[in-house]
Amino acid sequence: MTYAAIILTGGKGVRLGGVDKAALSYRDATLLDHVLSVVDDASEIVVVGPEKDLPNVLWAREDPPGGGPLAGLAAGLEKITQDWVAVLAVDQPGITRDTIARLRNAKTNAVLKDDRTQWLIGFWNAAELRGALPEDPRNQPLRKTLLRLDPVEVSALPGEARDVDTPDDLDTLHSG
């Protein structure tokens, strides 16, 4: 099954002092490089956020910038043509190609679940996503919109759903 990937990078990184999470160092690369590597088999890859010099990536930007993850998702959906799409946030160093494969193998709308549902690690039917979007997605809750699509929950492996939101998360990232 061919699929597209949308990677959301437009967050403000407030709890990290306003740092660009996409540019954070991770395993001799950046967090953005890492997430791109786990979806390198996608037929279309859209990165939503400030544009960087990267080949083979489509760029989108929510309007206005900073309009929240649902607005970013809406902007990314405008750029893809595939029927299925992986939707990921850039600050998830625990995801792997296997994470994406397990979500895809659900063959329906799916999200990763550890101690909580990870709404920004999912695999979705693009038409259903478009149909669920509110007319104005700016600053609207992502979870509320995605819940309407009744996704199956795919159990996360240990560490797979971790993200980088705080200085402690960043320290753990660099020490792990």
Side-chain angles (χ1 to χ4, degrees):
M1 169 191 334
T2 59
Y3 75 104
I6 296 173
I7 302 168
L8 303 174
T9 70
K12 295 176 183 166
V14 173
R15 290 180 282 177
L16 281 169
V19 70
D20 175 8
K21 289 184 183 182
L24 288 174
S25 176
Y26 179 66
R27 294 186 180 166
D28 300 324
T30 65
L31 283 178
L32 179 56
D33 293 330
H34 170 71
V35 176
L36 288 170
S37 76
V38 302
V39 294
D40 62 357
D41 62 338
S43 61
E44 302 167 313
I45 300 174
V46 178
V47 178
V48 181
E51 195 165 330
K52 299 179 184 324
D53 185 21
L54 292 172
N56 305 318
V57 171
L58 299 170
W59 291 91
R61 192 72 169 136
E62 70 274 22
D63 184 28
L70 192 60
L73 175 57
L77 282 170
E78 290 179 12
K79 300 278 187 173
I80 67 163
T81 62
Q82 294 299 314
D83 293 335
W84 291 93
V85 59
V87 177
L88 307 165
V90 74
D91 66 344
Q92 299 164 327
I95 61 172
T96 65
R97 285 186 181 100
D98 182 62
T99 310
I100 305 307
R102 291 190 347 267
L103 291 165
R104 290 173 65 190
N105 286 339
K107 295 185 177 19
T108 188
N109 295 323
V111 292
L112 199 67
K113 168 103 165 128
D114 58 354
D115 58 328
R116 60 189 169 96
T117 304
Q118 301 294 328
W119 295 106
L120 289 175
I121 306 175
F123 194 73
W124 304 93
N125 177 284
E128 290 178 25
L129 265 180
R130 288 182 183 102
L133 288 174
E135 187 174 321
D136 183 359
R138 290 177 296 174
N139 301 312
Q140 297 295 314
L142 179 81
R143 180 179 70 84
K144 182 179 175 184
T145 298
L146 297 180
L147 262 172
R148 287 188 220 141
L149 301 179
D150 195 28
V152 299
E153 294 175 342
V154 174
S155 294
L157 300 175
E160 194 172 38
R162 69 183 169 136
D163 57 8
V164 179
D165 287 330
T166 67
D168 286 345
D169 296 337
L170 188 58
D171 290 344
T172 300
L173 175 68
H174 288 138
S175 65

